[in-house]
């Protein structure tokens, strides 16, 4: 199951869903969550659902990306769970290859791939290089999730494929009402996961526009050592969760 939160992404949604219906994985469920969009996002999503039986659309009142993703988790029925934002897109081989990795390793709770950052506005070379470096992977293959491995990975949920049973058994959900929810979800999952399969290929295409949360934070904080307010709010939640699982290392 691939969960796609979509809010006012009429310019990008067709490319996103096209990349999903063209996946080489034969059995796939695509759940598009229209999060109260005011543009033509709902109509675009509904049109795909009419033409592709693997596409399901849920329309909901705007509640933010975390709430939309949680709605998708409620509906997902697949053995594995992936996430793609409605303004991004993926390579056609992504979910087949990531599923194969999990099929080959019963001990792995998730698989991980790289990403290619594509800016929709002009940035300097340093900014582009730093953004791409965040998604570059230094290791590949099956790895046990030691603290050094966990802290060396990017926190994006969109470069991961999770076992659905793993998420359900550990009651892992997205925290609603805050930005930087990926970071919280990342440590929630890594606090429980024991092993991952990593493939060093940039299957995911992450589009950066100048209105996104990462761009806004970059403009506000720049090269300073000050952390965004949203991350400061997330840290106590992450710490408390890891303490409950005795993963304070």
């Amino acid at each position: 199951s691939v969960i796609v939160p979509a809010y006012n992404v009429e310019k990008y949604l067709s490319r996103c869903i096209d990349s999903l219906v063209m996946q080489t994985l034969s059995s796939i469920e695509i759940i598009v969550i229209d999060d109260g969009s005011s543009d033509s996002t709902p109509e675009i999503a509904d049109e795909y659902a009419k033409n592709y039986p693997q596409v399901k659309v849920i329309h909901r009142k705007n509640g933010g990306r975390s709430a939309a993703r949680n709605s998708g988790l409620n509906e997902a029925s697949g053995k594995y769970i992936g996430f793609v934002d409605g303004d991004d897109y993926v390579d056609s081989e992504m979910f087949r290859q990531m599923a194969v990795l999990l099929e080959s390793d019963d001990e792995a709770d998730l698989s991980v791939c790289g990403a290619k950052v594509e800016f929709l506005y002009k940035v300097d070379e340093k900014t582009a290089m730093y953004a791409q470096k965040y998604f570059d992977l230094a290791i590949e293959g099956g790895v046990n999730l030691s603290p050094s491995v966990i802290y060396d990975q990017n926190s994006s949920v969109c470069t991961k494929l999770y076992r659905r049973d793993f998420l359900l058994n550990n009651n892992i959900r997205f925290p609603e009402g805050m930005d930087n929810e990926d970071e919280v979800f990342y440590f929630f999952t890594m606090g429980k996961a024991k092993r991952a399969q990593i493939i060093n290929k940039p299957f995911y295409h992450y589009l950066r526009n100048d209105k996104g949360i990462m761009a806004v934070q970059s403009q506000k904080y720049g090269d300073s050592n000050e952390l965004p307010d949203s991350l400061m709010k997330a840290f106590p939640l992450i710490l408390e969760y890891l303490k409950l699982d005795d993963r304070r290392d």
Side-chain angles (χ1 to χ4, degrees):
S1 300
V2 181
I3 297 169
V4 183
Y7 176 69
N8 288 351
V9 288
E10 61 181 6
K11 293 181 180 180
Y12 314 108
L13 187 58
S14 291
R15 177 166 60 177
C16 175
I17 302 179
D18 281 342
S19 74
L20 294 174
V21 299
M22 293 173 61
Q23 289 294 298
T24 56
L25 182 65
S26 59
S27 180
I28 188 171
E29 174 185 54
I30 303 163
I31 306 173
V32 181
I33 315 295
D34 164 40
D35 192 33
S37 298
S38 58
D39 63 2
S40 62
T41 292
E43 291 76 19
I44 294 171
D46 286 340
E47 188 65 25
Y48 275 93
K50 290 179 183 178
N51 295 320
Y52 296 93
Q54 66 268 47
V55 178
K56 178 180 182 179
V57 180
I58 298 173
H59 300 285
R60 52 166 286 132
K61 182 180 179 181
N62 180 255
R65 188 166 58 178
S66 287
R69 285 170 168 171
N70 286 337
S71 294
L73 285 172
N74 292 339
E75 297 295 326
S77 61
K79 184 177 180 180
Y80 306 118
I81 302 288
F83 300 92
V84 176
D85 287 341
D87 52 356
D88 297 334
Y89 66 102
V90 299
D91 288 352
S92 62
E93 280 284 310
M94 176 173 172
F95 288 108
R96 186 187 69 81
Q97 292 203 29
M98 295 184 75
V100 166
L101 288 175
L102 290 176
E103 290 289 331
S104 69
D105 186 348
D106 291 338
E107 299 299 317
D109 296 306
L110 69 154
S111 55
V112 182
C113 73
K116 175 68 175 177
V117 181
E118 300 176 12
F119 284 90
L120 301 179
Y121 61 103
K122 189 174 182 179
V123 296
D124 56 52
E125 185 177 346
K126 180 182 177 182
T127 299
M129 182 176 64
Y130 180 81
Q132 184 57 55
K133 185 178 181 181
Y134 177 70
F135 288 99
D136 290 342
L137 299 171
I139 56 177
E140 189 167 27
V143 295
N144 294 324
L145 293 173
S146 64
S148 61
V149 171
I150 292 173
Y151 294 124
D152 196 42
Q153 305 300 310
N154 70 75
S155 61
S156 171
V157 303
C158 295
T159 57
K160 319 290 190 296
L161 185 66
Y162 304 91
R163 292 189 189 275
R164 178 168 170 265
D165 286 346
F166 164 72
L167 297 179
L168 291 177
N169 292 341
N170 291 289
N171 194 29
I172 298 175
R173 311 274 291 178
F174 287 91
E176 299 184 17
M178 67 168 60
D179 293 325
N180 293 102
E181 68 278 7
D182 277 21
E183 283 80 2
V184 179
F185 192 86
Y186 177 75
F187 283 103
F188 279 7
T189 53
M190 292 306 194
K192 294 289 186 179
K194 306 302 181 186
R195 183 172 169 82
Q197 281 284 340
I198 300 175
I199 182 169
N200 195 2
K201 293 185 178 180
F203 290 136
Y204 193 88
H205 294 262
Y206 175 41
L207 273 61
R208 287 276 298 268
N209 63 71
D210 58 0
K211 305 299 182 184
I213 182 66
M214 296 303 293
V216 172
Q217 289 181 353
S218 177
Q219 292 165 8
K220 181 177 180 180
Y221 296 99
D223 294 329
S224 75
N225 293 322
E226 184 180 357
L227 290 173
D229 292 340
S230 55
L231 274 179
M232 293 298 291
K233 292 177 182 178
F235 279 144
L237 188 60
I238 294 170
L239 182 59
E240 185 61 29
Y241 191 86
L242 296 183
K243 283 182 179 179
L244 289 175
D245 195 44
D246 197 27
R247 291 296 293 269
R248 284 166 287 186
D249 54 344

